[in-house]
């Protein structure tokens, strides 16, 4: 029963010590679906997107598209989006605050309706999340930007291609500038662009509907402006972070897992680290297999970096694994300012971790014990599930709504793979 005004947060109850074994199919990538949904606004036509995960963040983006005037229909994991109607240029504050990555709508709205109004997304669980690089790039395309009272107003009578150099290979800034340059007159070059696979997926979708984009995955992305776009159909790439998280679940419990629908290339930084920790990983008949040792080895240093470096979204899950590995490891979080919030809860479970700014020193313990812990952000929550799976005794994990943002029914999948985990 939901008490009025009281937000009852769901919990996971996990009995540790069970191996994770079996087969799992990995779904489409959250961080690919979000910018591609925004991109559908550009065409004013119909887009059919397959393998869209059923996640809170994706449903929020669908709500935003509907409020802006798009018609959106979900049929299982396929979403049909028709953006032929009148499109609003104001993104509702309440929805931007619920999901800061809605900022990627800025570039899409500027391209489609030549103006946009959106509130500053503000910080989130893992850091201040500025958008200075987004705005600097958009201004170079000729966008007039005014900021007042926490709101950004953009006008762009005519967008002109530009040669833009990003001070940092920001994923969101690359996506926003890319979306704003599709109709810009002439050529746009984005230098020091983010190389994450999700950028490549966005490029592929844009080209399917008639844009002229090349270079995604390299340092420089080139866009030739076009006049209009068409209908399109696209299947989202598999989620490399969800895949890495399930691999870590097997590794944390000494289990053996087969993962289907994997893009091996995208998984390389994660595969390398798990092999270094003692896992055996091989690819056979289109599936990836991981077999884990009884106890993982520590690694001297793990440094999170932009792709193709080790992904920051896997930092928390790997810290959970290293908490029980043999030896001492150092984790350096170079991407976000405040992404060690899961450490205090791991310490409750017996982990020996010292954090100093962006550095965590992890002295592996032979055992962790179940405890009452709380998810404080999406990937930190997932890390605590992994710790609970391998801890002795019962772990009660609060605020699992954080985890719903990025993992579809993770407790049901883990149950099918042998875990003793229930959601209440
Ligand atoms: C995307 O966030 C992902 N989100 C994040 O995944 C991911 O961790 C991140 O890229 C890095 O890979 C989505 O794709 C929806 P950034 P984004 O811009 O675009 C600084 C998850 O768990 N920066 O590459 O916000 C920024 O402060 C989420 O799925 C500026 O300084 O990442 C950060 O320190 C979490 N100015 C760094 O760059 C700017 O204008 C990386 O941010 C933009 C960014």
């Amino acid at each position: 029963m939901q008490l009025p005004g009281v937000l009852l947060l769901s919990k996971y109850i996990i009995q540790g010590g069970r191996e994770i074994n079996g087969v799992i199919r990995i779904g489409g990538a959250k961080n690919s679906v979000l910018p591609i949904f925004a991109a559908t606004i550009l065409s004013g036509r119909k887009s059919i997107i397959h393998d869209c995960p059923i996640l809170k963040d994706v449903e929020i983006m669908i709500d935003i598209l509907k409020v802006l005037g798009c018609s959106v229909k979900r049929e299982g994991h396929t979403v049909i989006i028709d953006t032929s109607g009148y499109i609003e240029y104001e993104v509702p504050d309440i929805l931007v605050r619920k999901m800061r990555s809605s900022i990627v709508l800025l570039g899409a709205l500027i391209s489609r309706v030549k103006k946009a109004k959106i509130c500053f997304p503000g910080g989130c669980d893992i850091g201040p999340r500025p958008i200075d690089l987004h705005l600097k790039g958009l201004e170079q395309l000729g966008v007039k930007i005014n900021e007042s009272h926490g709101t950004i107003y953009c006008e762009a009578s005519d967008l002109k291609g530009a040669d833009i150099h990003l001070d940092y290979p920001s994923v969101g800034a690359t996506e926003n500038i890319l979306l704003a340059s599709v109709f810009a007159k002439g050529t746009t070059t984005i230098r020091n662009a983010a190389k994450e696979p999700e950028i490549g997926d966005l490029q592929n979708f844009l080209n399917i509907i008639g844009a002229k984009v090349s270079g995604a995955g390299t340092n420089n992305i080139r866009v030739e402006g076009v006049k209009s776009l068409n209908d399109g159909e696209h299947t989202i790439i598999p989620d490399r972070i969800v895949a890495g998280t399930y691999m870590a679940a097997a590794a944390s419990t000494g289990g053996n897992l087969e993962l289907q629908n994997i893009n091996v290339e995208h998984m390389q930084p994660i595969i390398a680290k798990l092999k270094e920790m003692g896992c055996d990983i091989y690819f056979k008949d289109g599936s990836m297999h991981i077999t884990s040792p009884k106890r993982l080895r520590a690694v001297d240093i793990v440094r999170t970096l932009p792709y193709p470096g080790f992904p920051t979204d896997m930092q928390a899950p790997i810290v959970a694994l290293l908490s029980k590995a043999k030896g001492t490891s150092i984790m350096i979080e170079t991407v976000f300012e405040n992404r060690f919030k899961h450490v205090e809860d791991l310490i409750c479970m017996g982990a020996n971790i010292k954090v100093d700014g962006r550095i965590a020193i992890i002295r592996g313990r032979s055992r962790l014990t179940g405890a009452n812990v709380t998810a404080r952000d999406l990937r930190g929550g997932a890390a605590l599930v992994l710790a609970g799976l391998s801890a002795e005794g019962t772990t009660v994990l609060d605020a699992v709504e954080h985890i719903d943002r990025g993992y579809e029914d993770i407790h049901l999948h883990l149950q099918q793979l042998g875990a003793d985990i229930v959601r209440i």
Side-chain angles (χ1 to χ4, degrees):
M1 183 263 284
Q2 181 86 13
L3 300 174
V6 174
L7 182 62
L8 293 182
L9 298 173
S10 308
K11 305 174 194 291
Y12 286 151
I13 315 281
I14 307 167
Q15 304 299 338
R18 312 269 292 260
E19 277 189 16
I20 294 298
N21 292 308
V23 184
I24 185 164
R25 180 191 182 278
I26 299 302
K30 163 178 86 83
N31 292 348
S32 187
V33 165
L34 297 176
I36 285 177
F37 274 17
T40 63
I41 291 176
L42 270 67
S43 68
R45 306 292 291 264
K46 188 164 122 180
S47 300
I48 302 175
I49 316 291
H50 299 293
D51 224 351
C52 302
I54 299 169
L55 298 170
K56 242 164 76 179
D57 276 13
V58 176
E59 299 318 300
I60 293 172
M61 184 57 97
I62 288 176
D63 290 346
I64 295 176
L65 290 179
K66 286 178 178 171
V67 166
L68 291 175
C70 309
S71 91
V72 187
K73 211 164 62 206
R74 181 185 267 279
E75 291 169 1
H77 286 93
T78 292
V79 176
I80 299 147
I81 305 172
D82 183 338
T83 63
S84 54
Y86 171 78
I87 298 294
E88 276 294 335
Y89 70 93
E90 293 190 45
V91 187
D93 290 5
I94 185 155
L95 291 174
V96 176
R97 293 216 171 81
K98 266 190 184 175
M99 186 184 64
R100 66 170 310 283
S101 40
S102 41
I103 191 69
V104 76
L105 286 157
L106 202 51
L109 289 171
I110 288 166
S111 269
R112 173 70 189 272
V113 291
K114 305 287 177 271
K115 59 183 178 178
K117 180 181 169 223
I118 190 167
C119 67
F120 267 94
C124 70
D125 327 301
I126 58 178
R129 313 295 289 277
I131 57 169
D132 54 307
L133 301 178
H134 299 234
L135 302 181
K136 211 163 102 179
L138 294 176
E139 276 172 345
Q140 287 182 260
L141 291 170
V143 181
K144 300 277 170 289
I145 299 173
N146 285 309
E147 303 160 32
S148 71
H149 307 296
T151 299
I152 305 163
Y153 301 85
C154 295
E155 293 265 352
S157 43
D158 62 333
L159 288 159
K160 271 199 288 306
D163 196 322
I164 297 162
H165 182 275
L166 289 178
D167 297 341
Y168 180 91
S170 152
V171 171
T174 301
E175 290 166 350
N176 247 334
I177 295 163
L178 176 48
L179 291 175
S181 66
V182 168
F183 297 133
K185 286 190 197 65
T187 304
T188 296
T189 304
I190 307 171
R191 300 183 191 283
N192 194 26
K195 301 197 274 277
E196 273 69 6
E198 293 75 32
I199 308 277
D201 209 26
L202 177 59
Q203 168 180 283
N204 292 342
F205 172 70
L206 287 170
N207 288 337
I208 283 169
I209 61 174
K212 287 198 175 69
V213 185
S214 59
T218 72
N219 287 323
N220 301 328
I221 296 177
R222 279 170 66 86
V223 186
E224 299 302 332
V226 295
K227 294 240 180 312
S228 64
L229 298 169
N230 319 304
D231 293 352
E233 188 161 0
H234 180 69
T235 297
I236 299 292
I237 55 171
D239 193 315
R240 59 197 167 97
I241 305 302
V242 168
T245 307
Y246 281 107
M247 292 171 78
S252 74
T253 60
N256 300 337
L257 191 60
E258 176 185 339
L259 299 100
Q260 298 173 340
N261 191 37
I262 291 287
N263 181 312
V264 194
E265 185 53 31
H266 299 166
M267 300 298 300
Q268 288 309 317
I270 299 168
I271 291 170
K273 210 40 74 190
L274 288 170
K275 278 183 171 173
E276 203 179 327
M277 293 166 70
C279 296
D280 183 23
I281 299 170
Y282 58 94
F283 205 72
K284 190 160 139 276
D285 308 333
S287 292
M288 185 155 70
H289 298 258
I290 177 169
T291 59
S292 322
K294 276 294 152 252
R295 190 169 183 201
L296 296 164
R297 292 195 298 267
V299 289
D300 288 345
I301 290 190
V302 192
R303 193 179 271 105
T304 66
L305 287 165
Y307 191 90
F310 184 79
T312 173
D313 293 348
M314 280 299 296
Q315 177 258 103
I318 292 298
V319 166
L321 293 190
L322 294 171
S323 301
K324 258 190 79 181
K326 189 169 173 15
T328 298
S329 310
I330 295 176
M331 172 64 77
I332 305 175
E333 173 54 69
T334 75
V335 178
F336 287 107
E337 295 78 3
N338 181 18
R339 205 172 193 179
F340 282 127
K341 297 234 273 292
H342 44 285
V343 166
E344 63 181 280
D345 295 277
L346 289 171
I347 289 170
C348 283
M349 299 175 74
N352 181 337
I353 306 174
K354 296 269 180 310
V355 171
D356 178 356
R358 289 175 180 250
I359 296 174
I361 300 167
I362 306 142
R363 287 184 178 77
R365 307 287 300 272
S366 55
R367 61 197 276 271
L368 294 181
T369 52
N372 293 350
V373 289
T374 301
R376 301 179 199 276
D377 58 55
L378 163 56
R379 308 300 176 182
L384 293 171
V385 171
L386 302 183
L389 292 174
S390 71
E392 282 173 19
T394 306
T395 296
V396 179
L397 174 56
D398 276 336
V400 297
E401 282 76 8
H402 285 290
I403 304 173
D404 296 339
R405 290 187 46 216
Y407 297 91
E408 189 178 319
D409 294 332
I410 189 168
H411 64 293
L412 299 180
H413 290 301
L414 290 172
Q415 279 170 11
Q416 284 154 13
L417 297 171
D420 179 347
I421 177 172
V422 292
R423 179 176 184 137
I424 56 171

